[in-house]
Amino acid sequence: MPLFDLPLAQLRSYTSGVTPPEDLAAFWDATLAEARAFPLSASFEPVENYLTVIDTFDVTFAGFGGAPVRGWLHLPAHRDAGAQLPVVVNYIGYSGGRGLVNQDTRWAQAGYAHFIMDTRGQGYGFTLGHTADPHSSAGDVAHAGLMTRGIASREDYYYRRVYVDAFRAIEAAQAHPAVDPSKVVLAGVSQGGGLVVAAAGLTAGRLDGVIAALPDVPFLQDFPRAIDITPRGPYPEIAQFLARHRDRYESTLAVLGYFDGVNLARSAIAPALYSAALMDDICPPSTVFASFNAYGSGMSASSASRAEKEIEVYRFNNHEGGQEHHWIRQLVFLRKILG
């Protein structure tokens, strides 16, 4: 795949034309208050994982509308009794679910608690999922896939439910006695990276404990540009929907404004390590830089806690990004954060 987006020098200063809806904060305040009115009901059932160095728990907690969301919690088996560990809350890429019980334990291998959130209505792609999306809007007219499910209104849009689940997953992780609730790291690739950005923005001023965000080649950023230039899914689901529903472009963008990572990133305060791949034709680098350049920009310039942020660029990679190389980069970044 050749370079197709802006040159790197332009990417570093690129800012999206996306503007936050005037009631963005009020919308999410109301949405999260509604979600938190349901008891979290986080449960952790020990489960056999066939590993000797990792303990695993089958997790269920109440997500959007109080509906059950599944997950895994992995812990180092030989941890000190009574110790509380920093936790990595891990979100999954588009079409994937939480996977099999021992499919991904790498953060626990590195000494962290590792909480993997299942993604409602997904788990049909590269990893298995176990969480349904029971919302009534699942039957609306939409393009095949999830990007236009419920897109007629901000209340019914699919990612409203998923963003709430992502927020409540942090609360669920904090509820386990082996987790240090003051040391939460958010991590994910692609859609998972987009959920990291959303959760970092939504927790700022609403939920304490998030100390770092690791959005890796994040999806769900700068929707207007992404819809226009992205040649490979899932963004083209929206373009293909609008190719038939030709009168719905403005109303669709109005809904997406509430879920655009660029808008939510502005509120974030946790230190962040992004990654971008310059040959990425699924999450184009300009959309990633739009989010990175917006991240933390809603804070006062004089704030002593202004968000620290870095971005790692993989020039010759497509959507796979840095993979194992970037994980090492993340481990080093977290060592610096945790001291």
Side-chain angles (χ1 to χ4, degrees), residues 294-318:
Y295 191 92
S297 64
M299 300 176 63
S300 167
S302 61
S303 173
S305 59
R306 189 165 177 80
E308 172 193 345
K309 58 185 179 180
E310 302 175 26
I311 188 166
E312 194 74 27
V313 176
Y314 298 95
R315 182 177 182 86
F316 296 105
N317 289 96
N318 200 305

Side-chain angles (χ1 to χ4, degrees), residues 158-174:
Y158 171 74
Y159 279 101
R160 181 180 183 229
R161 304 190 287 282
V162 178
Y163 285 8
V164 167
D165 293 347
F167 184 98
R168 301 231 79 190
I170 299 169
E171 295 180 304
Q174 290 174 316

Side-chain angles (χ1 to χ4, degrees), residues 119-192:
T119 310
R120 64 168 61 219
Q122 299 189 36
Y124 55 85
F126 62 96
T127 49
L128 187 68
H130 300 92
T131 300
D133 180 22
H135 197 268
S136 59
S137 68
D140 286 351
V141 172
H143 186 273
L146 299 163
M147 296 305 298
T148 61
R149 179 176 291 182
I151 205 165
S153 75
R154 62 184 188 173
E155 288 77 17
D156 289 340
Y157 188 47
Y158 171 74
Y159 279 101
R160 181 180 183 229
R161 304 190 287 282
V162 178
Y163 285 8
V164 167
D165 293 347
F167 184 98
R168 301 231 79 190
I170 299 169
E171 295 180 304
Q174 290 174 316
H176 194 277
V179 166
D180 185 339
S182 69
K183 295 179 180 177
V184 178
V185 177
L186 309 178
V189 182
S190 191
Q191 175 186 256

Side-chain angles (χ1 to χ4, degrees), residues 10-323:
Q10 292 182 33
L11 290 171
R12 293 199 184 279
S13 60
Y14 171 72
T15 56
S16 171
V18 169
T19 56
E22 291 184 2
D23 62 345
L24 179 68
F27 170 75
W28 282 110
D29 283 341
T31 292
L32 293 170
E34 177 184 312
R36 295 171 104 179
F38 293 92
L40 182 62
S41 302
S43 66
F44 303 88
E45 297 295 330
V47 62
E48 175 63 68
N49 64 13
Y50 311 101
L51 304 173
T52 60
V53 296
I54 303 293
D55 293 332
T56 298
F57 300 83
D58 189 350
V59 181
T60 304
F61 65 94
F64 181 89
V69 177
R70 304 289 294 278
W72 299 123
L73 176 65
H74 302 300
L75 299 173
H78 305 299
R79 62 194 180 276
D80 294 335
Q84 288 189 313
L85 301 173
V87 62
V88 176
V89 177
N90 191 179
Y91 305 116
I92 307 302
Y94 191 80
S95 84
R98 65 175 181 166
L100 300 180
V101 64
N102 57 14
Q103 193 163 358
D104 181 7
T105 63
R106 61 179 180 165
W107 286 108
Q109 294 174 50
Y112 296 87
H114 184 187
F115 187 103
I116 302 175
M117 186 191 87
D118 208 14
T119 310
R120 64 168 61 219
Q122 299 189 36
Y124 55 85
F126 62 96
T127 49
L128 187 68
H130 300 92
T131 300
D133 180 22
H135 197 268
S136 59
S137 68
D140 286 351
V141 172
H143 186 273
L146 299 163
M147 296 305 298
T148 61
R149 179 176 291 182
I151 205 165
S153 75
R154 62 184 188 173
E155 288 77 17
D156 289 340
Y157 188 47
Y158 171 74
Y159 279 101
R160 181 180 183 229
R161 304 190 287 282
V162 178
Y163 285 8
V164 167
D165 293 347
F167 184 98
R168 301 231 79 190
I170 299 169
E171 295 180 304
Q174 290 174 316
H176 194 277
V179 166
D180 185 339
S182 69
K183 295 179 180 177
V184 178
V185 177
L186 309 178
V189 182
S190 191
Q191 175 186 256
L195 296 181
V196 168
V197 174
L202 292 174
T203 54
R206 298 185 179 98
L207 179 64
D208 293 334
V210 176
I211 61 167
L214 307 175
D216 193 356
V217 290
F219 182 48
L220 306 167
Q221 316 297 305
D222 199 1
F223 278 113
R225 181 168 177 82
I227 294 167
D228 282 352
I229 73 167
T230 308
R232 198 157 60 103
Y235 286 123
E237 291 178 22
I238 303 173
Q240 290 160 14
F241 176 81
L242 294 173
R244 179 53 53 195
H245 296 274
R246 297 166 185 152
D247 59 340
R248 293 181 62 174
Y249 177 69
E250 296 298 335
S251 63
T252 294
L253 286 188
V255 169
L256 292 174
Y258 291 90
F259 308 95
D260 198 314
V262 172
N263 288 335
L264 297 172
R266 292 186 173 99
S267 300
I269 58 176
L273 172 62
Y274 276 70
S275 78
L278 296 193
M279 294 184 178
D280 192 341
D281 61 351
I282 291 179
C283 295
S286 58
T287 66
V288 175
F289 271 91
S291 176
F292 174 75
N293 290 330
Y295 191 92
S297 64
M299 300 176 63
S300 167
S302 61
S303 173
S305 59
R306 189 165 177 80
E308 172 193 345
K309 58 185 179 180
E310 302 175 26
I311 188 166
E312 194 74 27
V313 176
Y314 298 95
R315 182 177 182 86
F316 296 105
N317 289 96
N318 200 305
H319 193 51
E320 74 279 0
Q323 296 179 307

